[in-house]
Amino acid sequence: MADIEKEYVLGSSDREVARLAFQHEVWAEVTAGLFRTAGVSYGHTVADLGCGPGFVSLELARLVGPEGHVSALDASDKFVSLLSSRIDSLSLDNIRVSKGDVCSLNLESGSFDFAFSRWLYCFLKEPEVAALEAHRVLKPGGKLIVMDYLNYLSAGIFPGTEVLNSLFTGYMKTVNEHYGSYNIGGILPSMLAEIGFEIESLEPIVRIARPGENVWKWVEFFNELSVPALVENGTWTEEHREQFESEWSSAKETPGTFFFSPPMIGIVATKLH
Ligand SMILES: C[S@@+](CC[C@H](N)C(=O)[O-])C[C@H]1O[C@@H](n2cnc3c(N)ncnc32)[C@H](O)[C@@H]1O
């Protein structure tokens, strides 16, 4: 288990927790839309797999109410302990969190109405094993809800430069080196169909943001944590990073500049039997 925690490319520093909190704010409405499409509501049982510090798990607990239940699970000791403290401080009794591996769930078969994973599958070495486990713990007719990256390299800063847009190839390379893929959303629907899910809904999720807008701040927060890693892992030199920082500052002052976000896919798939 310790290895899984180490393998999660973005780590679990306090800044990563703050980044995940802000990221949740930016994408909460889109996530809630997926829950509406899937029909998550009062009294349901939901597994939040790869829950991180549990920002969505807590919203799910509110959505399913006292007659429902949320089981949140993550590989990170720190994230599990943060969510556990939050559950205690709010005295919630319809949610529990445990440390675990999504590829080998310590959850009962056929026990959930819904399983949810946001930005999990892109980090997994064996996504099909995790999908099989999600299938196992769902009731027949239960639904898997996934939100993840698709066609990542179509993201960009416009007007861009080679150095500015080498950001996205750099991030793609980093996640690939950790056995993940920011193109996982293109593979998941057929993989789920093969496993025994019926694909109910596939939704594109993409935004355009100008400097200062939330989605722009979202990529800047990601850069704060991940650009230094590009230098550390040898993808960029220090000079490349300096040129990037200078071009990024200029881009923000250029009227008409915008960020086209890495596209994501929202998937709702029903377990057939
Ligand atoms: C980008 S975070 C997303 C967290 C949360 N789903 C959200 O949307 O805020 C990815 C999470 O996946 C977890 N993770 C990665 N591999 C895992 C595995 N094999 N088993 C359980 N959790 C895993 C990481 O610890 C991390 O918390």
Side-chain angles (χ1 to χ4, degrees):
M1 189 69 60
D3 284 340
I4 293 163
E5 182 159 12
K6 249 185 266 151
E7 272 174 23
Y8 171 52
V9 60
L10 301 173
S12 58
S13 65
D14 290 348
R15 280 308 275 169
E16 172 60 4
V17 174
R19 189 193 72 80
L20 287 170
F22 179 63
Q23 173 167 260
H24 175 64
E25 284 308 309
V26 173
W27 298 101
E29 188 43 47
V30 171
T31 309
L34 283 174
F35 294 154
R36 282 192 292 275
T37 301
V40 182
S41 75
Y42 192 84
H44 282 135
T45 49
V46 189
D48 184 3
L49 306 174
C51 63
F55 304 112
V56 183
S57 322
L58 293 168
E59 291 201 4
L60 282 166
R62 197 165 37 81
L63 200 56
V64 302
E67 289 180 34
H69 187 81
V70 175
S71 284
L73 178 138
D74 200 275
S76 159
D77 278 321
K78 179 164 171 180
F79 292 165
V80 167
S81 134
L82 281 170
L83 178 54
S84 181
S85 307
R86 194 90 180 104
I87 292 169
D88 288 348
S89 70
L90 294 168
S91 303
L92 298 175
D93 53 16
N94 68 341
I95 170 169
R96 69 181 270 276
V97 58
S98 60
K99 178 172 173 166
D101 180 358
V102 294
C103 292
S104 169
L105 292 174
N106 49 5
L107 299 171
E108 209 179 307
S109 299
S111 55
F112 291 94
D113 297 306
F114 296 92
F116 169 68
S117 290
R118 187 175 69 173
W119 300 306
L120 167 77
Y121 281 89
C122 60
F123 297 113
L124 298 178
K125 187 176 181 180
E126 297 182 306
E128 65 285 4
V129 179
L132 276 166
E133 276 294 84
H135 186 271
R136 180 181 67 74
V137 301
L138 282 168
K139 297 175 184 172
K143 293 178 189 178
L144 175 63
I145 308 163
V146 175
M147 176 169 160
D148 222 312
Y149 289 114
L150 162 72
N151 206 15
Y152 189 80
L153 292 182
S154 57
I157 301 293
F158 297 90
T161 65
E162 204 180 317
V163 169
L164 275 179
N165 285 317
S166 64
L167 185 69
F168 303 100
T169 41
Y171 289 160
M172 187 76 163
K173 180 169 172 273
T174 307
V175 80
N176 290 344
E177 280 168 358
H178 281 77
Y179 310 108
S181 168
Y182 286 146
N183 286 334
I184 187 70
I187 298 162
L188 274 174
S190 58
M191 182 188 287
L192 295 177
E194 186 116 331
I195 286 171
F197 285 99
E198 182 173 359
I199 307 302
E200 289 226 346
S201 156
L202 299 175
E203 191 180 305
I205 302 166
V206 71
R207 291 286 180 276
I208 282 182
R210 294 194 276 168
E213 293 179 347
N214 259 2
V215 172
W216 182 283
K217 289 182 182 166
W218 170 64
V219 68
E220 282 192 324
F221 208 151
F222 192 85
N223 291 348
E224 175 198 315
L225 294 172
S226 302
V227 162
L230 291 179
V231 178
E232 276 158 34
N233 70 21
T235 304
W236 282 6
T237 60
E238 186 55 36
E239 294 68 44
H240 191 115
R241 188 191 66 76
E242 279 167 17
Q243 193 180 342
F244 169 81
E245 301 292 0
S246 145
E247 289 185 11
W248 187 274
S249 301
S250 310
K252 283 167 72 168
E253 303 306 322
T254 307
T257 294
F258 68 91
F259 167 55
F260 183 80
S261 71
M264 292 178 243
I265 188 168
I267 305 171
V268 178
T270 305
K271 173 175 173 170
L272 289 174
H273 38 251

